[in-house]
Amino acid sequence: MAGGRKLEFDKQLALEAAMRVFWQKGYLGASLSDLTSSMGINKPSMYSTFGNKEKLFLQATEYYVEHYAKSHLTCLSLPDTDLRTRLKAFLSSVINAQFESSNPKGCYVTLCMTEAAGGDMPEAARELISEAAGFFPGLLEDLFKQDKEAISSGLNKNAKSNALTLATLLSGTAAMARSNCDQADLQPVIDNTLNGIGL
């Protein structure tokens, strides 16, 4: 029983390491040697535990969404907080993560979406990345449609375009993070974007 728990723990650490390689280098740029070296396991162990590179990528992507992307969602449901403040907290949280020195810079999903557009990524991987890329826009669209303040302000009428505006901002800041932009320079961009949608 104890051994089983240790195996799970080690597997999660290895998956976290693989995710970071994909986050840094993308699907195509991550070699099997890069992955196994970072994970601290050999190729047979990788294949027996995770499957091939594509299956490892699928698991790493799901791990990223569950443990990194979803961690920002609490900002959107802060109690007794107006919509602008909640959205600003959400955008700031995501951007802080994009610039976090302990993580690869930018956004895992944004990087891999660029690769997927080239058509060289396996179909299942492309589909999952496309689904992951729609996570924030879909979530924000629902927020604009359902939030009482958004409805009273009329923001629900352009829910989809408002959501895409914010998602596009985050894709842009991800690229800026990877190009070593000064994060402080992006603070006015958040305010300008929220002003632009009417908040």
Side-chain angles (χ1 to χ4, degrees):
M1 189 75 174
R5 284 197 299 271
K6 186 176 188 301
L7 178 61
E8 267 311 300
F9 178 70
D10 290 343
K11 179 180 177 182
Q12 180 145 320
L13 285 178
L15 187 57
E16 167 92 20
M19 179 208 68
R20 289 176 175 276
V21 174
F22 287 126
W23 191 346
Q24 178 66 42
K25 299 190 173 186
Y27 177 82
L28 298 175
S31 68
L32 287 178
S33 295
D34 292 331
L35 291 164
T36 54
S37 175
S38 179
M39 296 163 77
I41 59 177
N42 58 30
K43 290 180 183 178
S45 294
M46 190 201 84
Y47 285 121
S48 65
T49 305
F50 298 100
N52 59 20
K53 178 182 174 181
E54 180 182 359
K55 290 179 180 177
L56 175 61
F57 177 77
L58 296 177
Q59 293 171 71
T61 301
E62 290 171 348
Y63 183 92
Y64 175 85
V65 171
E66 288 297 322
H67 293 82
Y68 286 82
K70 289 186 177 180
S71 67
H72 308 292
L73 302 188
T74 54
C75 298
L76 297 174
S77 56
L78 293 171
D80 304 317
T81 307
D82 64 83
L83 181 59
R84 181 188 175 95
T85 301
R86 283 182 280 141
L87 285 170
K88 186 171 181 176
F90 167 75
L91 295 172
S92 297
S93 179
V94 175
I95 293 170
N96 285 341
Q98 293 172 350
F99 281 83
E100 173 58 55
S101 60
S102 63
N103 293 330
K105 295 291 182 70
C107 172
Y108 178 106
V109 175
T110 301
L111 172 66
C112 294
M113 270 299 293
T114 302
E115 284 190 320
D120 295 324
M121 190 180 286
E123 183 177 357
R126 287 200 311 270
E127 289 177 354
L128 183 58
I129 279 294
S130 179
E131 180 182 330
F135 179 64
F136 279 165
L139 187 83
L140 291 168
E141 182 177 353
D142 288 343
L143 177 70
F144 283 119
K145 286 179 178 178
Q146 298 167 11
D147 184 86
K148 290 181 180 179
E149 186 182 344
I151 294 170
S152 67
S153 302
L155 293 171
N156 59 315
K157 296 176 182 177
N158 297 305
K160 184 173 184 178
S161 63
N162 289 335
L164 287 174
T165 297
L166 300 187
T168 300
L169 166 65
L170 294 176
S171 293
T173 56
M176 298 297 278
R178 289 182 74 87
S179 63
N180 294 317
C181 168
D182 187 340
Q183 183 181 355
D185 292 338
L186 298 176
Q187 191 59 47
V189 178
I190 298 174
D191 290 320
N192 291 340
T193 302
L194 293 174
N195 291 342
I197 65 173
L199 276 173

